Amino acid sequence: MKNIILARVLDVVVISLLLVDHSSANRFAATVAVFLAIVMLIGFFGMSADLANKIKAKSWIGRAFGMVAQAAYVGALIYAGYPSIAAFYAIAAILLRACVHHKLKPAGEGV
């Protein structure tokens, strides 16, 4: 539980840094967002069924907060003037969520 709270606090800090009108804070937060997107892509390419189960095992409130945080990152990146990083982050987040859904899909379902 502490890890989830710490992660959400760090999300709020990075999003706040994107929204302040200070160029070095914006660049730092954009760099952090790029790093997070790269980590999501690594998770996408290295996804196992166990990891997908761990991600999917979160409560619906946890998943909702995660999606809100990802949307806030994209919005803050666009507002800060980094639309290409926002697109990269959004694509990485969508791919990760799709991979979780695909790994947990029953074997009998269609393609």
Side-chain angles (χ1 to χ4, degrees), residues 36-54:
L36 290 173
I38 290 171
V39 169
M40 284 190 281
L41 283 177
I42 290 170
F44 168 72
F45 288 117
M47 179 76 62
S48 65
D50 292 333
L51 181 60
N53 281 325
K54 284 182 184 179

Side-chain angles (χ1 to χ4, degrees), residues 39-109:
V39 169
M40 284 190 281
L41 283 177
I42 290 170
F44 168 72
F45 288 117
M47 179 76 62
S48 65
D50 292 333
L51 181 60
N53 281 325
K54 284 182 184 179
I55 293 172
K56 191 71 172 181
K58 290 198 261 181
S59 68
W60 68 272
I61 293 175
R63 286 192 303 264
F65 276 124
M67 292 175 73
V68 167
Q70 289 172 347
Y73 268 111
V74 172
L77 283 164
I78 291 170
Y79 177 79
Y82 300 104
S84 58
I85 296 174
F88 177 60
Y89 186 90
I91 289 169
I94 290 168
L95 284 175
L96 185 66
R97 291 195 180 273
C99 186
V100 168
H101 178 72
H102 178 72
K103 291 285 183 181
L104 297 178
K105 184 171 53 170
E109 283 189 24

